[in-house]
Amino acid sequence: MTELRVRFAPSPTGYLHVGGARTALYNWLYARRHAGTVILRIEDTDADRSKPELTQAILDSLEWLGLDWDEGPYYQSERLELYRARASQLERQGHAYPCFCPPDELQKKRQTAEAAHRAWKYDGTCRDLSEPDRARRRAQGRPWALRFRTPESGRTAFDDLVFGRIELENSEIEDFVLLRSDGQPTYHLSVVADDLDLRITHVIRGADHLSNTPKQILMYHALSSSQPVFAHLPLILGPDKQRLSKRHGATSVGAYRDQGILPEALMNFLALLGWAPPGGKEIVSPEEMVEQFDLAAASKSNAVFDPEKLAWMNSEYLRRMPLEALLPRVRGELEISGLWSSAFSGSERQRFEDSVRLLQTRARTLKDFSESGRAFFTDDFPYELEARRKFWKESRLADWLRDLAQRLSNLSSFDLEQTEKCLRDLAEEKGIRAGVLINAARVGLTGQAVAPGLFEVMRALGRERTVRRLERAAAALAPSAPDRA
RNA sequence: GGCGCUAUCGUCUAGGGGUUAGGACGUCAGAUUCUCAAUCUGAAAACCCGGGUUCGAUUCCCGGUAGCGCUACCA
């Protein structure tokens, strides 16, 4: 039994987008499932659109997702001799021929045909040129491209691992270009040459290549070589059912990273876009995926990318994550947003951990720690307008909060029970509902109407900071305070 | 236009000749009360249409429709 070899072949003409990431993931899962080899190949034969820095960005995204590879990256731009060798082999054997048709002329013919609603296929002008004719044209220095000589009859079929049997009349396939007039290989040539050279056994790629596959199979035949097994993956669409693109907002893996999405959550989400494990579980670890992954069970229809579900899944991962694992991630987020203080790993370590634990259950993304959780990591936070409007209506609140601060500072122990009793006693004495005080205090401590339970917030902040913030809030609440709502 | 592929709740999907068509996200309502999230309970929500095969099609076949893809000297 020959070794199973798959490849992921991104083109560095953009960042790694979620569709590409899912293709990479499915390749990876399939290979890991069957003890195969993952090969990474960079398809950079389009010199105009390919950018080296994008290659690095793609590599970074793959690594971030936790998708590793065993061989490569191979760069197609460094393998041109291979493609030319294959090209001349095909030409020598009569499976390819030089075409001298000027591109603009072909363009014109194509447009004419289109205008007349006629199907257009390369008309074969140069297909049967005699050798002397060819020699003459070459002598004239006319530029030429190399075209594949497609059989004019018969049909090409293959069994796709996800789509099943696909059949196409050869007459539908035109004599496509293998080598451009500048000597650069086209995609069809380079993929086949590379997949052959790298001994790829399974080609797993986007369904946008489904229609190209017969062309490539014809090339395998012409090179009298066996063809790999093909598996095409349905496309990922935006909410409007159009192919996912910049229009839809974030499409790149990096954009989700920047939004505070965890790589394990994105991986899980992408895996379930087009495949479901036998048990129907939603949260699936990479180990479980590898164990259960099956291309034959993959969906055949396109899938809409739903950011809402991703967000939910991310919150699940956040919530289930052990604190020790979460801490460094939050630290990273705080560093990015300028909220990190070295004290959090020193004197204030306990407070830092308490805060993270408190925020953990309600966080949807890592961004929530630095945004809605801001007040836990810095004294520099605003009192939100909405919060003041909602909970700072009562005029005597300033006095009450001052009283509360006073009493809290005299508490024998600053724990959950005592602080709560302290506040409720005060509320009772003043003849108000505890909620009034609780909500007002929450705004004072966090600046927000929405935050974790008040007494837990107090504990996470510590007595000193709690008292100080309550007094500050009282001052902000006083009629004389300039920034009163 | 030609060719190819696809079609189960709004979305991701399970299922499959006889099912109350299952789950998840989202939505709505209720419980909880300290705001929100979480949690719990409940609800609304789907087999694209038409033929055929069959005792019986959502499931199998054909046609239609729709969507997507390919139709480059892009990948």
Side-chain angles (χ1 to χ4, degrees):
Chain A
M1 169 112 186
T2 52
E3 182 204 16
L4 183 145
R5 292 167 65 85
V6 303
R7 82 308 198 271
F8 176 55
S11 180
T13 54
Y15 295 101
L16 181 65
H17 58 96
V18 294
R22 192 198 47 176
T23 302
L25 173 61
Y26 279 26
N27 270 284
W28 186 87
L29 286 172
Y30 195 72
R32 293 290 172 258
R33 172 86 177 81
H34 298 100
T37 302
V38 178
I39 291 140
L40 181 64
R41 184 172 75 218
I42 305 298
E43 308 218 321
D44 55 354
T45 52
D46 184 346
D48 293 340
R49 295 198 303 148
S50 297
K51 297 206 182 72
E53 58 273 25
L54 289 173
T55 299
Q56 191 51 50
I58 290 170
L59 263 36
D60 290 346
S61 288
L62 287 172
E63 192 185 344
W64 178 76
L65 271 173
L67 299 179
D68 51 2
W69 56 92
D70 310 303
E71 268 182 41
Y74 295 100
Y75 292 85
Q76 288 194 323
S77 56
E78 294 170 0
R79 298 161 63 82
L80 296 177
E81 337 71 65
L82 176 71
Y83 313 135
R84 294 199 181 122
R86 287 299 189 183
S88 57
Q89 180 188 349
L90 285 168
E91 187 176 6
R92 218 167 38 239
Q93 298 171 344
H95 291 117
Y97 60 89
C99 168
F100 301 89
C101 298
D104 54 323
E105 201 171 288
L106 291 174
Q107 172 94 352
K108 220 180 297 168
K109 286 185 185 175
R110 189 177 305 120
Q111 282 168 352
T112 312
E114 231 164 79
H117 289 297
R118 285 201 331 269
W120 163 260
K121 221 175 65 164
Y122 174 64
D123 57 7
T125 304
C126 301
R127 184 175 162 114
D128 297 311
L129 248 31
S130 67
E131 234 8 272
D133 279 344
R134 287 188 182 136
R136 189 168 334 113
R137 273 161 231 241
R138 278 196 229 262
Q140 287 168 352
R142 284 178 62 171
W144 55 276
L146 190 72
R147 282 184 189 272
F148 185 77
R149 188 189 302 276
T150 303
E152 56 245 279
S153 63
R155 49 184 18 217
T156 297
F158 65 102
D159 293 297
D160 191 277
L161 243 33
V162 350
F163 282 96
R165 188 159 191 83
I166 306 284
E167 289 184 319
L168 188 67
E169 292 293 339
N170 290 154
S171 59
E172 295 289 341
I173 304 172
E174 75 170 347
D175 285 357
F176 52 97
V177 171
L178 297 172
L179 234 36
R180 295 190 253 268
S181 46
D182 63 1
Q184 293 289 314
T186 61
Y187 169 73
H188 296 297
L189 209 214
S190 54
V191 228
V192 171
D194 272 333
D195 287 343
L196 228 33
D197 185 67
L198 298 171
R199 301 174 356 259
I200 302 301
T201 59
H202 297 254
V203 171
I204 305 167
R205 59 190 359 174
D208 45 347
H209 291 293
L210 201 56
S211 308
N212 290 327
T213 307
K215 289 181 190 155
Q216 293 164 19
I217 288 177
L218 252 19
M219 291 173 69
Y220 284 102
H221 289 341
L223 292 164
S224 51
S225 168
S226 64
Q227 69 202 49
V229 174
F230 292 93
H232 288 89
L233 276 11
L235 271 18
I236 297 180
L237 311 177
D240 56 358
K241 309 260 184 134
Q242 298 289 305
R243 203 171 176 171
L244 202 58
S245 73
K246 297 105 251 158
R247 276 199 328 286
H248 299 103
T251 59
S252 72
V253 167
Y256 287 97
R257 178 192 55 212
D258 294 346
Q259 284 177 19
I261 298 293
L262 299 167
E264 44 273 71
L266 185 57
M267 183 181 184
N268 191 155
F269 177 74
L270 255 17
L272 261 46
L273 220 48
W275 172 73
K281 264 177 63 174
E282 299 284 333
I283 306 293
V284 195
S285 70
E287 293 74 26
E288 291 172 297
M289 286 184 212
V290 167
E291 222 168 279
Q292 307 182 307
F293 187 71
D294 182 10
L295 277 174
S299 166
K300 291 199 252 292
S301 44
N302 295 343
V304 172
F305 186 94
D306 179 10
E308 275 301 316
K309 186 158 181 178
L310 207 211
W312 165 79
M313 195 165 272
N314 202 57
S315 71
E316 284 294 311
Y317 271 87
L318 240 19
R319 190 153 356 117
R320 294 167 185 224
M321 188 173 282
L323 191 66
E324 316 80 70
L326 181 56
L327 256 16
R329 317 256 194 156
V330 174
R331 172 175 179 162
E333 170 54 31
L334 294 186
E335 283 171 346
I336 288 169
S337 45
L339 294 178
W340 176 254
S341 153
S342 55
F344 293 154
S345 57
S347 59
E348 292 201 76
R349 186 189 170 124
Q350 190 56 48
R351 199 171 79 68
F352 173 62
E353 291 190 10
D354 288 347
S355 299
V356 171
R357 194 179 293 113
L358 198 50
L359 263 8
Q360 183 174 13
T361 50
R362 3 171 81 75
R364 299 267 280 178
T365 71
L366 284 173
K367 279 274 164 249
D368 288 338
F369 288 92
S370 63
E371 290 171 359
S372 56
R374 182 182 178 89
F376 288 87
F377 307 109
T378 175
D379 289 325
D380 177 24
F381 62 89
Y383 298 127
E384 286 177 3
L385 183 60
E386 272 306 300
R388 286 181 300 171
R389 276 206 185 127
K390 200 166 168 197
F391 296 127
W392 279 9
K393 284 189 279 213
E394 166 63 51
S395 58
R396 288 163 296 173
L397 233 28
D399 291 336
W400 296 339
L401 289 184
R402 246 187 293 270
D403 284 352
L404 180 62
Q406 180 60 240
R407 291 184 186 203
L408 287 172
S409 61
N410 290 329
L411 241 38
S412 61
S413 167
F414 196 74
D415 56 36
L416 244 35
E417 294 72 29
Q418 293 238 19
T419 51
E420 176 155 10
K421 181 170 190 312
C422 173
L423 182 142
R424 289 189 186 276
D425 286 349
L426 178 63
E428 197 173 337
E429 281 172 39
K430 301 293 181 187
I432 52 172
R433 286 186 308 110
V436 174
L437 219 44
I438 288 172
N439 288 325
R442 175 181 293 106
V443 178
L445 295 184
T446 67
Q448 297 169 314
V450 174
L454 183 69
F455 305 104
E456 291 170 299
V457 171
M458 286 183 176
R459 186 176 57 183
L461 291 176
R463 186 196 313 244
E464 200 189 325
R465 194 173 260 100
T466 299
V467 169
R468 206 188 319 134
R469 287 190 186 180
L470 287 175
E471 280 164 354
R472 191 174 75 182
L477 260 160
S480 58
D483 67 339
R484 191 165 183 261

